């Protein structure tokens, strides 16, 4: 029987929703047990959140001052040490997971399975390739631990209501001295996090300028949405790259995605293919974005967006 260890993603004492999505993926294995490990300087609050996820058998709380910041080279030896008791080790396919899990796989001497979107068997998975245009079935070698990242956009959050036990543990692993945390440069915003937001408003090259991008922020504020952008908008300097949605940005699955002035290049569509409802606003009625949109508005965004905002205000 499979036994799964999930590495919890957290920031500022709060558990990221991607952890509950990893639990959903793990449940597809019908495992004997699903445990979650929380590595932090003070893991109590995050561990308590993780314990509430339905399906979790046990939460391992690893308190270590070295874990105050998510440095992959520091966390990986600890995860690899714990992994000897498990058949599978899952992490989210987010910036955190993409940084950490390859290090874990390397320490265990196995190949990582990336972006798991479906489970076919204990060692057989489906994942997207070619910017999501094809789905490939991959099989990990039997007899070795499976280290995988879970495509968060393809899995729902596991339900809450669990009551797993929390076990404080110490991991005896040699931590590297050559890697250290220097600082975190992150934009501050009252808006929802782009990776986990239920509503997202994104702007593209059609917005025209950094100054004009204010119209995207205004609509997002009206909707209580996160703000995203196409690669073209990021490359043009309209917004910072942490807002980029797409194959080389963030893969998201909001309930509502509003694409404003975005033509719909394949690399962008890869990032939103699992969205619930897609609304496209573009003056070019032949833009590829309309082929995937559930609702399309052809027209001048600078005329349509103020009308939308007025309707929302009313």
């Amino acid at each position: 029987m499979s036994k799964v260890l999930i590495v919890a993603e957290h920031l500022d004492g709060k558990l990221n929703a991607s952890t509950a999505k990893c639990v959903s993926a793990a449940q597809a294995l019908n495992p004997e047990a699903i445990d979650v490990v929380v590595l932090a300087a003070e893991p109590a609050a995050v561990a308590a959140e993780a314990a509430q996820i339905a399906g979790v058998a046990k939460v391992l709380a690893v308190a270590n001052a070295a874990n105050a910041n998510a440095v992959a080279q520091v966390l990986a030896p600890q995860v690899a040490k714990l992994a000897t008791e498990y058949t599978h080790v899952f992490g989210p396919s987010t910036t955190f997971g993409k940084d950490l899990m390859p290090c874990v796989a390397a320490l265990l001497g196995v190949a990582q399975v990336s972006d798991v979107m479906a489970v076919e068997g204990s060692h057989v998975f489906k994942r997207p390739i070619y910017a999501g245009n094809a789905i490939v079935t991959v099989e990990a070698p039997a007899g070795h631990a499976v280290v995988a990242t879970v495509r968060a956009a393809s899995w729902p959050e596991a339900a809450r209501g669990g009551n797993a036990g929390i076990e404080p543990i110490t991991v005896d692993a040699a931590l590297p001295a050559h890697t250290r945390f220097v600082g975190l440069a992150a934009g501050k915003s009252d808006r929802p996090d782009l990776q986990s937001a239920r509503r997202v408003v994104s702007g593209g090259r059609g917005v025209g300028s950094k100054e004009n991008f204010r119209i995207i922020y205004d609509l997002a504020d009206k909707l209580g949405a996160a703000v995203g952008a196409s690669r073209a908008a990021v490359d043009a300097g309209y917004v910072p790259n942490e807002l980029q949605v797409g194959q080389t940005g963030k893969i998201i699955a909001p309930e509502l995605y509003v694409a404003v002035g975005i033509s719909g290049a394949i690399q962008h569509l890869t990032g939103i293919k699992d969205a619930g409802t897609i609304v496209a606003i573009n003056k070019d009625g032949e833009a590829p974005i309309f082929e995937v949109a559930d609702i399309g508005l052809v027209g001048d965004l600078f005329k349509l967006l103020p009308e939308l905002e007025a309707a929302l205000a009313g």
Side-chain angles (χ1 to χ4, degrees), residues 73-151:
Q73 288 72 23
V74 174
L75 302 185
Q78 300 171 73
V79 176
K81 192 81 171 181
L82 293 170
T84 57
E85 303 296 323
Y86 296 86
T87 60
H88 296 69
V89 184
F90 283 0
S93 190
T94 57
T95 303
F96 167 80
K98 289 178 180 178
D99 187 33
L100 172 61
M101 301 309 287
C103 297
V104 175
L107 289 172
L108 293 175
V110 299
Q112 175 186 291
V113 180
S114 301
D115 294 328
V116 169
M117 61 186 302
V119 173
E120 300 289 304
S122 65
H123 287 67
V124 183
F125 309 92
K126 287 190 174 182
R127 63 178 300 267
I129 58 172
Y130 301 130
N133 285 311
I135 307 300
V136 65
T137 300
V138 296
E139 183 172 357
H144 295 279
V146 176
V147 177
T149 57
V150 172
R151 181 182 166 92

Side-chain angles (χ1 to χ4, degrees), residues 187-189 191-195 200-204 213 216-217 220 225-235 237-246 248-252 257 262 267-268 272:
K188 297 294 183 182
S189 174
R191 296 184 180 86
D193 173 63
L194 176 59
Q195 195 86 54
V200 175
V201 179
S202 282
F213 220 84
I216 304 298
Y217 287 111
V227 172
S230 68
R231 178 172 180 172
V234 171
D235 288 348
Y238 299 170
V239 291
N241 59 14
E242 60 259 29
L243 298 187
Q244 184 176 322
V245 174
T248 53
K250 291 181 170 65
I251 308 295
I252 60 176
Y257 186 77
I262 294 175
Q267 88 89 26
H268 186 79
I272 63 168

Side-chain angles (χ1 to χ4, degrees), residues 6-284:
I6 293 171
V7 184
E9 178 176 2
H10 57 90
L11 183 65
D12 297 331
K14 295 182 179 179
L15 188 70
N16 191 289
S18 63
T19 304
K21 294 186 176 187
C22 287
V23 173
S24 288
Q27 288 172 331
L29 290 163
N30 294 316
E32 175 186 344
I34 301 172
D35 294 346
V36 175
V37 60
V38 177
L39 300 112
E42 298 179 0
V46 177
E49 275 193 80
Q52 295 174 18
I53 302 175
V56 174
K58 181 171 58 178
V59 177
L60 306 176
V62 182
N64 190 327
N67 297 336
N69 299 286
V71 178
Q73 288 72 23
V74 174
L75 302 185
Q78 300 171 73
V79 176
K81 192 81 171 181
L82 293 170
T84 57
E85 303 296 323
Y86 296 86
T87 60
H88 296 69
V89 184
F90 283 0
S93 190
T94 57
T95 303
F96 167 80
K98 289 178 180 178
D99 187 33
L100 172 61
M101 301 309 287
C103 297
V104 175
L107 289 172
L108 293 175
V110 299
Q112 175 186 291
V113 180
S114 301
D115 294 328
V116 169
M117 61 186 302
V119 173
E120 300 289 304
S122 65
H123 287 67
V124 183
F125 309 92
K126 287 190 174 182
R127 63 178 300 267
I129 58 172
Y130 301 130
N133 285 311
I135 307 300
V136 65
T137 300
V138 296
E139 183 172 357
H144 295 279
V146 176
V147 177
T149 57
V150 172
R151 181 182 166 92
S154 298
W155 299 90
E157 290 183 41
R160 295 303 193 268
N163 188 28
I166 299 174
E167 181 181 333
I169 64 170
T170 300
V171 180
D172 183 20
L175 304 184
H178 63 277
T179 303
R180 62 189 176 88
F181 177 80
V182 175
L184 174 65
K188 297 294 183 182
S189 174
D190 294 329
R191 296 184 180 86
D193 173 63
L194 176 59
Q195 195 86 54
S196 57
R198 299 188 184 278
R199 301 171 183 170
V200 175
V201 179
S202 282
R205 190 196 304 274
V207 176
S209 70
K210 181 177 182 179
E211 292 70 29
N212 288 347
F213 220 84
R214 172 49 53 190
I215 199 169
I216 304 298
Y217 287 111
D218 290 343
L219 179 59
D221 289 341
K222 289 287 192 305
L223 292 171
V227 172
S230 68
R231 178 172 180 172
V234 171
D235 288 348
Y238 299 170
V239 291
N241 59 14
E242 60 259 29
L243 298 187
Q244 184 176 322
V245 174
Q247 181 186 5
T248 53
K250 291 181 170 65
I251 308 295
I252 60 176
E255 295 173 0
L256 172 66
Y257 186 77
V258 183
V260 182
I262 294 175
S263 64
I266 186 63
Q267 88 89 26
H268 186 79
L269 299 183
T270 297
I272 63 168
K273 64 184 303 180
D274 294 304
T277 299
I278 299 174
V279 178
I281 301 174
N282 200 298
K283 66 180 181 181
D284 179 8

